[in-house]
Amino acid sequence: MNMPLQQKTPDAKIGEIIKLAVMAVGGQGGGVLTNWIEALARSQGYVCQATSVAGVAQRTGATIYYIEMAKKADLEPVFALAPAGGDVDVLIAAEMIEVGRAIMRGFVTPDRTTLIGSTHRALAVSEKMTPGDGIADADEVRAAAEVASQKLVLADMDGLAVAQGSVISSSLFGALAGSGALPFPRSAFEDAIRASGKGVEASLRAFAAGYDAAQLGVDTGDGPEEGKAPELSGPQPKAGGLTAPEETERAPALTGPDREMDRWTELLGRAEALPDPVREIAVPGLMKVVDFQDCTYGEAYLDRVEEIVEKDTAERDWLLAATAAKYIANAMAYDDIIRVADLKTRAPRMARIQTEMGAKEGQLMELTEFFHPRSEEIVSLLPARLGARWEANPRRMAQIDRWFNKGRRLRTHSLRSFLLLHFLGGLKGYRVKTRRHEVEMAHLEQWLKDSLEPLSEDYALSVELLKNRRLIKGYSDTHARGLTKFATVMNAAKLLRGREDAAEWMNRIREAALQDAEGKALEGAIQTVRSFA
Amino acid sequence: MAERSFKAEVEHLRKGDGDVFTGEGILAITKALLENGVGYVGGYQGAPISHLMDVLADAEELMAELGVRFEANASEAAAAAMLAASVHYPIRGAVTFKGPVGVNVASDALANLCSSGVNGGALVIVGEDYGEGSSIMQERSHAFAMKSQFWMLDPRPNLPSITKAVKDGFELSEASNTPVMLMVRIRSCHVTGSFATKDNVPPPLTVKEAIANPQSDFNRVVLPPMSYLHEQDKIKKRWPAAEKFIMENGLNEQFGPKDAKIGIVVQGGMYNGLIRALQRLGLADLFGRTEIPIYCLNVTYPLVRDEFDAFCEGKDHVLVVEEGQPEHIEQHLGSFLYKAGRRLKLYGKDVLPMAGEYTGQVMLDGITAFLKSAAPDMLPGQVRAPNAEEPKIPDLSKTVPIRPPGFCTGCPERPIFAGMKLVEQELGKHQITGDIGCHLFGSLPPFEIGGATMGYGLGPASNAAFDGGGERRAISMLGDGGFWHNGLSSSIGNMVFNKSDNVVVIVDNYYSAATGGQDVLSSRAQNDTKSTNNPISAALKGVGVEWIRQIDHTYDVGKVRDTVREALTTDFKGPKVIVASSECMLNKQRREKPLRNKAIKEGRRVDIPRFGVDSDICTGDHACIRLSGCPSLSLKRLDDPLRDDPIAHIDQTCVGCGNCGEVADAAVLCPSFYRADVVHNPGGFERWRANMRNRVISWLQTRRDSKRLRLTGAPT
């Protein structure tokens, strides 16, 4: 109310029209919320009009509901059918990016708008399909919301509702009541829910949660959630209380038999002795590789990391060694059949899924895993020399494909499938003799060698080259494509060597490689480099 | 079974004299039809009038009581043709469809109907799909009224005005022997409000009574020389009769002072938007009492010259507020002024934009621009010399991604496109045309399959240029709705006749799903008033298609892929049609969820599947998403310093359709997906067996853990 009004409104009654817009993602129940608000307004002696655009926009697209209300009088007021920029009193956005869209469209203005938004994310397809990290920056939206709104209510409304066994429309309705933006008592809101007659109890609980969220400190941005990753998709396990607490709340640690633990403590001591920035990565890295294989393997990891620490310096804040610690761990804990089989048959996994699926006492859970081994995966599991020979023999590979290459559904709750995976998962001792291990280790050494080569002349470039390891991920074809991209990006270093901005360009090329699966952006980036190299 | 049931609301349609109806626009229109003695109703669904068809379907019982016939027409053309009943018989009829695409389809029948002229009131209720939220090309239905000579009502968007327009429309139609189009804009269809009801009136002559006493008159047939007489009749009799009726009954309204120097002419449907702009400028009050005279065209065609002339008397500046292009009304009024030799200045698409929706801001800017030129002293001080600086709000246009509509969670069409995508990766890109329907979402990311859509049921027809063949076969999509609407003859018949060698994928989801789940001929549901369960494949055989593949479970991505590949590579010459059938998930869930919950409550064994992703196995490459785009398959950032990219994650809205597992298998993606079936009320043996298994499994796990180091509390 501090901002001067843009337009004069000589008839004070005009100001009495309350204008409320709901921006939602199709399928979120914006219609239910609208009906409640309408019923509420009418029950409180207001005339009320609502509009919406039904149709394909409601199939998971962005959609708007719009409501106007005014105190009943002898004459009928004239209401508008759509929200106008700068002319909205209450804006309810049922998702964080929709909060942004509302602001972008001018529906949130500092002179008048109470903005009620849910901080959870329902990712748009464009955000999800990027091979890298394409998620929009919710913090920018939050910052804009603080500037644009007169009053701000932000909370994970979806999480609040799901925790109460309800849906977001209930918690948003509660937040609307709690915000005090409408001149109606709480009981009138609750009566509107009761009158609708469906799932009333759960709705009322979620309503209360939303109400409290709006009452108690408005912006939860710097609250206890600080530092946590933002809620990404619909209802998150965290908010819904669906994840097994023992798995998430405890800090990661290794457990096992005493004999092994002694060795582990010794290893951990070595890792802890590393310079701070390196230690922060090397400790989880060490855990990962020891979990993947054993303490001997962990020793090899530390040897590699320490070797790079030797070459690094505190002046650069140990960036090279910290980066290496991260990606060496990832490279050493490669994704082979043995690892997958082991992870799929661990005890905590069953418990975690059970909780996630909300399976209760007296209910059973059956698990089906989807495997599709190709000859490449089968042969990579053979002893190194035999595997290499077979790999080089296309007829042999085709034959193996005929035998094995088909989708396999393993019902891991049944003994047969479980035993098969349990057996495969137990092949750790044999793993180091496999073809896959040989290939992975050779690749790792080559990558380290290539990355460290320019170190003496261009420290930053070496760091960037190490980071290129990020490009290798996925399984089968995706993995093969990742390797190709990795090779392309690493090769580009030759074009860049000697340039002052080599590291910068290497970073750009890698980011391009992560933009799309086909590598179009990467191709473009390489072309650009060629043009000036 | 339609997406939304109006069974409860339909009871309001029984209200009578002295009652008040409160609800949605489309329901109010239905009520008004019954109050005005309508004899038959029909139409074809499509936003924004889909719900009107659903209301009519749900009100069938009530209409039968009154002797009103309801027909769910096969297409808009069929709906318009049904109004032929009002040509000879004094029966009021109403049909509904969307504009302008539905009007395009109906235009042949409409033109014939207009030439013949009507005896009973004939009303076409058109939901004009224009502006934000529209799913079609942006055009106007207005031109059809001008070319065929039917009258167009565009009432003010409130329930009393809309329901009055139904009454006016019938009377105007009868007074001028001309069909009338009642246009309701996208938001008016769903606007809520109240109006005073009257008793329902049974039709004075029902269709049943009429058919017992058949009538014909060759003078009404559109053949020479009668058709020449029809044209003369339109101009000499029907048009003047319409003008007279419009004036005498005050169908158009005037508001505000009589003697101002300026005035605004507005389409009825834009009236509220205009008043809001005036309210914001301080020139109208809460109830719409305006300081600027308004001539509100509730009838936008024909324009009544005498009325307009009278409004312009003594004015120097007149603005026409007309949404959409071209500016038919403005041109028309301009010619009136020119011919009358007036000197007043006419404003319209100069201060307002030619194209696009007249949103609140556009309207405010346009009216302000008009007043700045025509009557600057009427503007509030701040507009004339703004002194407040606009607040600086950060620009989010680079941050906020677009969110176009897409396939719902568990949609059976997703795996079809996943299968096609896999074929594309194998055999390269093909020429693909889309059609109207949910399957058109396949042309958006992540699939990007299909590049053109020419109209409902015209997918395969739009590949006709390629029917002669070439190096690669062309593919076209067609939905079951489009197939029955128009596709069987215009697309499939056309292919057979022209010996096409191309491929058609018919997406059969058991409903006209995109318009809200109405039944079609091939729907699998039992429908008491309609004939369903007529297989598409039988119709295909009937018109001579020999290569037909029926897929009864579209979630089998491998099978879809293999079938599409076969169609593209087989030696068979002739049209190849794949019918891919699985029930629309929205409708399926709506049908099955209550049954399932009931079964669980009754203690029966129920198995509920849902998918999950092992976060430690997923590497965050998102290949699965590029073959899915499912809303429940999303991403999650791990609190793990070793990971860079967010990983796949399936939330609890998953309906366990199976697409994820099938895609992971068919595309050989990764082993991180699992399906978890929660078995409710398991049997005794089942429980015992599970218990035994768990004991063995847990013994094995403990044994292994006693020999190795294992990570606990890993980030998930």
Side-chain angles (χ1 to χ4, degrees), chain B residues 400-712:
Chain B
V400 173
I402 59 160
R403 200 191 292 277
F407 298 118
C408 305
T409 300
C411 176
E413 303 184 16
R414 178 172 292 113
I416 299 176
F417 288 97
M420 291 180 71
K421 194 83 191 161
L422 293 176
V423 176
E424 187 180 280
Q425 286 169 5
E426 233 177 86
L427 303 180
K429 198 172 165 71
H430 283 73
Q431 156 63 26
I432 301 179
T433 53
D435 202 300
I436 310 292
C438 296
H439 44 89
L440 192 53
F441 298 150
S443 60
L444 301 173
F447 298 114
E448 295 183 54
I449 287 180
T453 165
M454 288 293 118
Y456 207 26
L458 295 179
S462 7
N463 258 346
F466 309 109
D467 273 353
E471 201 157 291
R472 279 183 191 172
R473 286 173 179 151
I475 309 173
S476 41
M477 309 301 296
L478 185 60
D480 48 348
F483 178 80
W484 294 115
H485 177 274
N486 185 17
L488 177 59
S489 58
S490 297
S491 279
I492 304 293
N494 184 69
M495 281 177 89
V496 173
F497 188 62
N498 287 293
K499 291 186 169 278
S500 166
D501 192 32
N502 287 331
V503 177
V504 178
V505 180
I506 297 182
V507 179
D508 170 21
N509 54 31
Y510 302 8
Y511 305 93
S512 173
T515 57
Q518 293 80 9
D519 280 339
V520 291
L521 271 159
S522 53
S523 290
R524 315 283 169 110
Q526 283 305 322
N527 187 320
D528 292 339
T529 59
K530 303 283 174 292
S531 165
T532 49
N533 290 288
N534 304 291
I536 290 175
S537 52
L540 289 170
K541 275 182 209 142
V543 292
V545 180
E546 287 163 33
W547 197 100
I548 302 169
R549 296 290 180 274
Q550 173 73 44
I551 299 174
D552 275 324
H553 183 70
T554 59
Y555 299 100
D556 190 343
V557 175
K559 187 169 180 190
V560 173
R561 178 198 57 200
D562 296 346
T563 314
V564 173
R565 191 202 292 120
E566 189 198 347
L568 288 171
T569 53
T570 176
D571 291 336
F572 180 88
K573 293 280 171 224
K576 285 152 280 281
V577 183
I578 301 167
V579 185
S581 311
S582 273
E583 183 173 9
C584 162
M585 189 52 83
L586 263 188
N587 283 282
K588 187 177 176 186
Q589 289 291 319
R590 193 170 298 116
R591 197 166 49 76
E592 281 190 348
K593 240 187 186 165
L595 296 177
R596 198 170 72 186
N597 290 343
K598 191 160 163 265
I600 293 176
K601 253 190 196 151
E602 285 168 1
R604 278 181 281 153
R605 184 187 185 280
V606 176
D607 178 335
I608 300 182
R610 215 175 94 192
F611 274 75
V613 173
D614 281 309
S615 55
D616 33 15
I617 296 176
C618 173
T619 60
D621 60 85
H622 316 153
C624 52
I625 286 167
R626 292 190 290 277
L627 283 169
S628 161
C630 178
S632 73
L633 173 59
S634 193
L635 300 180
K636 168 165 100 165
R637 275 205 189 96
L638 290 181
D639 197 9
D640 180 350
L642 300 176
R643 303 264 208 144
D644 295 302
D645 296 319
I647 58 153
H649 168 75
I650 295 178
D651 67 32
Q652 45 101 40
T653 57
C654 170
V655 294
C657 73
N659 185 63
C660 288
E662 292 284 348
V663 162
D665 171 356
V668 202
L669 290 186
C670 84
S672 38
F673 284 100
Y674 60 84
R675 191 181 78 208
D677 290 84
V678 174
V679 182
H680 295 252
N681 306 317
F685 168 72
E686 211 176 358
R687 264 204 301 267
W688 173 84
R689 190 181 56 184
N691 194 20
M692 285 302 163
R693 280 169 171 173
N694 288 344
R695 279 161 107 176
V696 177
I697 286 174
S698 133
W699 178 77
L700 287 167
Q701 286 169 332
T702 317
R703 199 182 60 145
R704 179 163 289 166
D705 282 345
S706 71
K707 291 186 201 149
R708 59 130 178 227
L709 290 172
R710 177 168 68 70
L711 195 59
T712 56

Side-chain angles (χ1 to χ4, degrees), chain A residues 5-8 10-11 14 17 19 25 38 49-51 54 56 59-62 64 68 75-81 84-85 87 95 97-98 100-101 103 105 110 122-123 125 127-133 136-137 140 147 232-235 247-248 250 252-257 261 288 290-291 295 326-327 330 335 339 342 344-349 352-353 356 362-370 372 407 409 413-414 418-419 422 425-426 470 473-476 478 517, chain B residues 3 22 47 132-133 135 157 186-188 190-192 272 275-276 279-280 282 284-289 360-361 380 382 388 391-394 396-397 399-408 445-446 513-514 586 610-611 614 616-617 619-622 625-626 630-631 633-637 641-642 644-646 649 651-652 661-662 665 668-680 682 686 690 693 696-697 700-701 704-714 716:
Chain A
L5 285 175
Q6 193 87 29
Q7 275 81 39
K8 70 162 186 175
D11 180 8
I14 297 297
I17 303 179
K19 297 154 192 167
V25 180
E38 261 189 284
Q49 171 190 289
T51 54
V56 290
R59 304 272 189 266
T60 74
I64 303 184
E68 293 202 356
L75 289 171
E76 284 294 318
V78 179
F79 290 139
L81 278 78
D87 198 27
E95 196 266 353
I97 282 305
E98 295 315 311
R101 203 181 311 282
I103 296 167
R105 300 196 51 184
L123 299 180
V125 172
E127 294 175 272
K128 295 195 281 189
M129 57 186 277
T130 329
D133 187 347
D137 186 359
E140 273 183 41
V147 179
L232 293 187
S233 83
E247 280 291 303
T248 44
R250 213 165 51 188
L254 284 180
T255 52
M261 282 306 279
K288 186 166 181 166
V290 173
D291 175 79
C295 284
K326 172 172 169 178
Y327 292 105
N330 287 340
D335 301 290
R339 175 169 188 262
D342 178 21
K344 291 260 184 197
T345 48
R346 292 181 174 199
R349 173 177 187 249
R352 191 191 74 227
I353 295 176
E356 261 182 35
Q363 295 171 350
L364 299 181
M365 204 182 61
E366 301 186 338
L367 281 181
T368 311
E369 320 286 347
F370 298 83
H372 191 138
R409 277 141 214 233
H413 59 280
S414 73
F418 182 86
L419 284 172
H422 183 76
R470 178 180 173 191
K473 51 185 176 171
Y475 298 75
S476 12
T478 322
Chain B
E3 192 171 295
T22 300
E132 181 186 298
S135 51
I186 193 158
R187 284 189 182 80
S188 315
H190 303 289
V191 72
T192 58
N272 286 30
I275 291 293
R276 173 52 47 86
Q279 284 173 338
R280 292 175 76 184
D285 73 1
L286 177 59
F287 308 105
R289 286 179 292 212
Q361 193 61 46
Q382 287 208 349
K392 289 260 181 310
I393 295 167
L396 293 174
S397 54
T399 312
V400 173
I402 59 160
R403 200 191 292 277
F407 298 118
C408 305
L586 263 188
R610 215 175 94 192
F611 274 75
D614 281 309
D616 33 15
I617 296 176
T619 60
D621 60 85
H622 316 153
I625 286 167
R626 292 190 290 277
C630 178
L633 173 59
S634 193
L635 300 180
K636 168 165 100 165
R637 275 205 189 96
L642 300 176
D644 295 302
D645 296 319
H649 168 75
D651 67 32
Q652 45 101 40
E662 292 284 348
D665 171 356
V668 202
L669 290 186
C670 84
S672 38
F673 284 100
Y674 60 84
R675 191 181 78 208
D677 290 84
V678 174
V679 182
H680 295 252
E686 211 176 358
R693 280 169 171 173
V696 177
I697 286 174
L700 287 167
Q701 286 169 332
R704 179 163 289 166
D705 282 345
S706 71
K707 291 186 201 149
R708 59 130 178 227
L709 290 172
R710 177 168 68 70
L711 195 59
T712 56
T716 51

Side-chain angles (χ1 to χ4, degrees), chain B residues 264-268 270-271 274 294-298 319-321:
Chain B
I264 299 176
V265 182
V266 64
Q267 292 164 301
M270 301 309 299
Y271 169 82
L274 168 64
I294 294 173
Y295 176 39
C296 177
L297 296 172
N298 293 318
L319 167 71
V320 182
V321 178

